[in-house]
Amino acid sequence: MGMLEKTDKFDPDELIEEFEMVTKDAERVQRDTLQKILEENGRTEYLQKWGLNGRTDPESFKACVPLVTHQDLEPFIQRIVKGDASPILTGKPITTISLSSGTSQGKPKFIPFNDELRDSTMQIYKTSFSFRNREFPIANGKALQFIYSSKQFKTEGGLAAGTATTNVYRSLQFKNTMKAMQTPCCSPDEVIFGPDFQQSLYCHLLSGLIYRDEVQVVSSTFAHSIVYAFRTFEQVWEELCTDILGGVLTSRITVPSIRTAMSKLLKPDPELADTIHKKCSGLSNWYGLIPELFPNAKYVYGIMTGSMEPYLEKLRHYAGDLPLLSADYGSSEGWIGANVKPKLPPEFATFAVLPNIGYFEFIPRTNNNVEEQDHIEPVGLTEVKVGEEYEIIVTNFAGLFRYRLGDVVKVMGFHNSTPELKFICRSNLLLNINIDKTTENDLQLAVEAAAKLLAGEKLEIIDFTSYVDLSTDPGHYVIFWELNRESGEELLNECCNCLDRSFVDAGYLSSRKTNTIGPLELRVVWRGTFQKILDHYVGQGAAVSQFKTPRCVAPSNNTLLQILCSNVGKSYFSTAFS
């Protein structure tokens, strides 16, 4: 280990300098990166099929190779999964497969993963850490990381498969990088890799409390997991205190490997138990819980943009005065940009694209229909314009060529010559019945508007999703809400009308006025419904670290609709346009 630790030390100033250098001449770096990708993979069946014949310049690449979606690549990926080791998409054989969370489409996508993707992950981690550490220095501390690794399994062709986060967490490089950043995880590996998420979560909390004075960062992959962890803490804090007081682990932890690992950490500590008990008893509605528990924490860190924005209010409640820092921008398919302006609040976070981790193109977004959108020529990384919205196209080192990621971003500015992107929404998550085109972002804004009506009654939306109900004529939008407690009828009727009126899409408004879309329906589900959705995905092998509540449920996603519809407590129809 000694050797590795030496080589993994890194100098944040050096990394910042390197980042400044590659972003100064982003166009040249992009050409070089594409050349490298095509030299490594030019002999593959996929690229030969498009007649590139060894050319590596962007012009030939764009002229020969078509834009694709995951669906187009699926037959090729399936052959790799089944064990075909010939150069199909990559020159070197793929030995690992990443699974996307599967929350958008109802089933996980298989995505090739290799050493280059792992290395670019570490590059992004280290780059954004260097910028973060300049503003919020941390030294010789620990991180309370709510991370969970699902099991890796073997595909029928013998490849290791797991969620993208699992493939990273299981690599030695991840551990060394966390060490080099001076924020090793408080929890033993057995907790991170445990088979039971609830038991792992309990032990993450317990490990954090044992090391409470050393914790300098509280983080998770997604903001949702941090909120979920502290909502759980509200339920189990007294039990945690009992464990610390007597030095004996609760009987609810039954996984032998976790019990063994935790019993090494846990010693009777009446003083610590008493401190935590006093802190928790003294809080008003758990406001400022995180800094009370972890007095030396500098910030809370995780992905907080896009579909995570609805959890920010609750996260701020728990974090009190601690800054919330948004983590980097990527997907199961690979990374795109680093947050190099960590002081910006999450709602304004931007991500500077690293021009050497992939080749990027951008399709300008128009307000025209999807078919027209498909005929617009993409532009290069350095050709994008500030204030415009684009869909991202990725070419990476792991066999994705001109791949439509499905993300819409807005260019907020430039860092040297590389663009700074703000994540807007997924391009495919649309509620659509007639001529309406409602994005995830539109839905979020409507829910936020209606949530303001609840605030006065101290009511909170724990989670929400939506779906298009075409069983009625005309079809209508259905919004599902889970609230922290019961609410009066009148208030929920008002919320329902507010939701209906808050959709800004012109197509929706005109369709509602002419009744070609029916009145919006608000269905309030029982407490714990969204927990059942999480359990369902985890049961299918998804990692909690990667779980995102789907904001729009596809009609084909029967299981999810069944969970939601069988847990509806009350339902309300809008009278906003009648």
Side-chain angles (χ1 to χ4, degrees), residues 243-400:
D243 290 3
I244 293 168
L245 178 69
V248 179
L249 189 61
T250 171
S251 59
R252 78 156 73 202
I253 307 302
T254 55
V255 177
S257 59
I258 297 184
R259 282 202 76 88
T260 309
M262 289 307 295
S263 59
K264 286 179 189 155
L265 287 189
L266 191 58
K267 302 286 177 278
D269 192 340
E271 197 182 331
L272 177 60
D274 187 50
T275 304
I276 293 162
H277 204 283
K278 281 202 178 93
K279 296 268 181 208
C280 292
S281 309
L283 288 174
S284 159
N285 195 21
W286 301 99
Y287 178 81
L289 172 61
I290 298 174
E292 281 296 321
L293 292 179
F294 309 107
N296 297 313
K298 303 282 196 301
Y299 53 82
V300 177
Y301 184 68
I303 293 171
M304 299 187 187
T305 48
S307 60
M308 291 301 128
E309 273 189 35
Y311 307 108
L312 288 180
E313 195 178 333
K314 190 66 179 170
L315 191 53
R316 283 207 168 93
H317 182 84
Y318 286 135
D321 297 334
L322 278 183
L324 303 185
L325 273 57
S326 193
D328 308 303
Y329 171 37
S331 62
S332 299
E333 287 86 351
W335 290 96
I336 293 157
N339 180 357
V340 299
K341 291 183 172 170
K343 279 194 153 161
L344 288 176
E347 291 87 345
F348 302 102
T350 59
F351 305 96
V353 179
L354 272 72
N356 58 350
I357 60 174
Y359 181 74
F360 301 100
E361 299 170 70
F362 297 83
I363 303 178
R365 289 279 281 184
T366 62
N367 292 325
N368 304 342
N369 61 29
V370 178
E371 287 70 41
E372 285 176 43
Q373 189 71 36
D374 286 348
H375 297 300
I376 299 170
E377 275 304 300
V379 298
L381 180 70
T382 55
E383 299 166 335
V384 295
K385 294 189 169 74
V386 174
E388 298 291 310
E389 290 187 4
Y390 298 89
E391 186 195 329
I392 299 190
I393 312 291
V394 175
T395 296
N396 71 9
F397 285 94
L400 301 182

Side-chain angles (χ1 to χ4, degrees), residues 494 496-504 508-509 574-577:
E494 220 180 305
C496 184
N497 288 344
C498 176
L499 282 167
D500 205 3
R501 277 194 303 266
S502 299
F503 284 108
V504 292
Y508 182 76
L509 287 169
S574 161
T575 53
F577 291 84

